[in-house]
Amino acid sequence: QVQLVESGGGTAQPGGSLRLSCAASGTGFTFSEHWIYWVRQAPGKGLEWVSATNPKGDTTYYADSVKGRFAISRDPRTLYLQMNQLIPEDTALYRCARDRYTHALTASWGRVVSPAEFGSWGLGTHVVVPS
């Protein structure tokens, strides 16, 4: 069974940086064949798209709220999210998720996040940016 495990969260001051990782372990799918996403959920709010990348890592998408501050990247078994210029509004549980299908972006990027569209996702890592 494949697991996605996030790490790297913590508390950072406004204007600071954190780097999140999402590691794939086990068997069952080939990490490098899937679009992978970062989503987040702030306290008391719904799921929000953060960023997405294609299997090769040469196509990336960002939510307007993080564009210019966050950078997504990947290698064959790990996804990263470099988070710079953090603001209190970035406080959330960050989770990585893979698209259900290979070599296709089929999840509802830009619309309401629907976890049923994910093949799998991790339990998340908390990011706190105090105001």
Side-chain angles (χ1 to χ4, degrees):
Q1 186 175 355
V2 179
Q3 288 185 314
L4 296 176
V5 180
E6 301 90 341
S7 62
T11 299
Q13 293 302 309
S17 299
L18 287 172
R19 190 189 194 209
L20 306 185
S21 298
C22 168
S25 62
T27 61
F29 74 88
T30 302
F31 185 79
S32 59
E33 293 181 344
H34 291 263
W35 279 78
I36 307 291
Y37 313 101
W38 285 105
V39 298
R40 68 184 181 185
Q41 187 166 21
K45 296 188 177 180
L47 288 166
E48 176 190 15
W49 293 108
V50 176
S51 188
T53 184
N54 67 337
K56 290 184 178 179
D58 58 3
T59 297
T60 58
Y61 298 135
Y62 297 95
D64 288 343
S65 59
V66 306
K67 201 172 294 182
R69 301 188 297 118
F70 290 10
I72 192 172
S73 60
R74 66 188 297 172
D75 62 31
R77 291 199 68 83
T78 307
L79 178 74
Y80 303 98
L81 186 68
Q82 179 65 43
M83 308 165 64
N84 299 324
Q85 301 173 48
L86 286 163
I87 59 178
E89 291 75 15
D90 294 323
T91 295
L93 176 68
Y94 285 74
R95 305 176 72 171
C96 62
R98 70 170 175 95
D99 200 283
R100 182 177 294 276
Y101 301 101
T102 60
H103 300 290
L105 191 167
T106 67
S108 56
W109 171 261
R111 302 190 297 275
V112 175
V113 179
S114 176
E117 297 177 329
F118 300 145
S120 58
W121 58 338
L123 296 177
T125 185
H126 286 278
V127 171
V128 176
V129 185
S131 55

